[in-house]
Amino acid sequence: MRKPGNKILRIRGWALAMIFIGMAVMYLGIFFRELPWVMLIFLVLGTIPILFSFVIYFWVGMISTRTVTVQCPNCERHTKILGRVDYCQHCKEPLTLDQELEGEEFTVDYNVKHRREKKIAELREQQNSKD
């Protein structure tokens, strides 16, 4: 199974896909050159995802300035972590900032507070049952 990439890179990938989708919709308008109002509709509909991708890129840029930069223990390159757990941007190694989650099975549920607290409680319960 293929590991997902870093959250920031995945969001940027969606923004890039929105640009190509918008361009494809605009290109479809060329087939309706004889009907200017239909061509205009396709051009406007194609502009919307492109503008939406601009907003996404701006938003990710603002988020990227507030992320924590850590050194990956696997590839020893610096990567930005968004949330408590994330993947390395370069080698896709699971990384965490929470000491309680080190060595545990990786899941993105650790980024949601109530799910993280539930998982940590389960881990503590398992450790207490072993002792």
Side-chain angles (χ1 to χ4, degrees):
M1 187 172 126
R2 190 176 147 251
K3 290 182 184 178
N6 183 278
K7 281 182 223 152
I8 293 174
L9 295 180
R10 281 187 280 161
I11 295 171
R12 285 180 182 159
W14 279 104
L16 182 62
M18 294 297 290
I19 289 174
F20 286 122
I21 290 169
M23 290 173 61
V25 170
M26 293 170 99
Y27 186 74
L28 289 174
I30 292 176
F31 296 115
F32 299 99
R33 279 182 270 183
E34 290 79 27
L35 301 169
W37 60 275
V38 176
M39 185 175 176
L40 180 66
I41 289 173
F42 275 101
L43 290 177
V44 170
L45 288 177
T47 305
I48 292 171
I50 292 174
L51 292 175
F52 187 61
S53 71
F54 171 76
V55 171
I56 292 172
Y57 272 120
F58 182 77
W59 174 64
V60 168
M62 296 305 291
I63 287 175
S64 183
T65 61
R66 293 182 280 138
T67 59
V68 178
T69 303
V70 297
Q71 186 174 7
C72 176
N74 189 28
C75 65
E76 298 182 358
R77 295 165 79 180
H78 292 282
T79 186
K80 293 182 178 183
I81 293 182
L82 188 60
R84 297 234 183 225
V85 293
D86 204 354
Y87 291 97
C88 175
Q89 292 176 340
H90 310 287
C91 66
K92 298 185 179 172
E93 175 78 17
L95 302 172
T96 182
L97 295 174
D98 199 346
Q99 298 293 333
E100 294 179 337
L101 302 177
E102 283 186 10
E104 299 300 329
E105 184 179 338
F106 185 84
T107 178
V108 292
D109 287 340
Y110 293 137
N111 288 326
V112 182
K113 186 176 180 179
H114 67 277
R115 291 181 190 161
R116 179 178 61 248
E117 290 171 352
K118 182 179 174 184
K119 293 275 187 181
I120 290 174
E122 289 174 5
L123 292 173
R124 287 183 183 158
E125 213 174 272
Q126 288 175 356
Q127 288 175 353
N128 289 339
S129 67
K130 289 180 183 178
D131 294 336

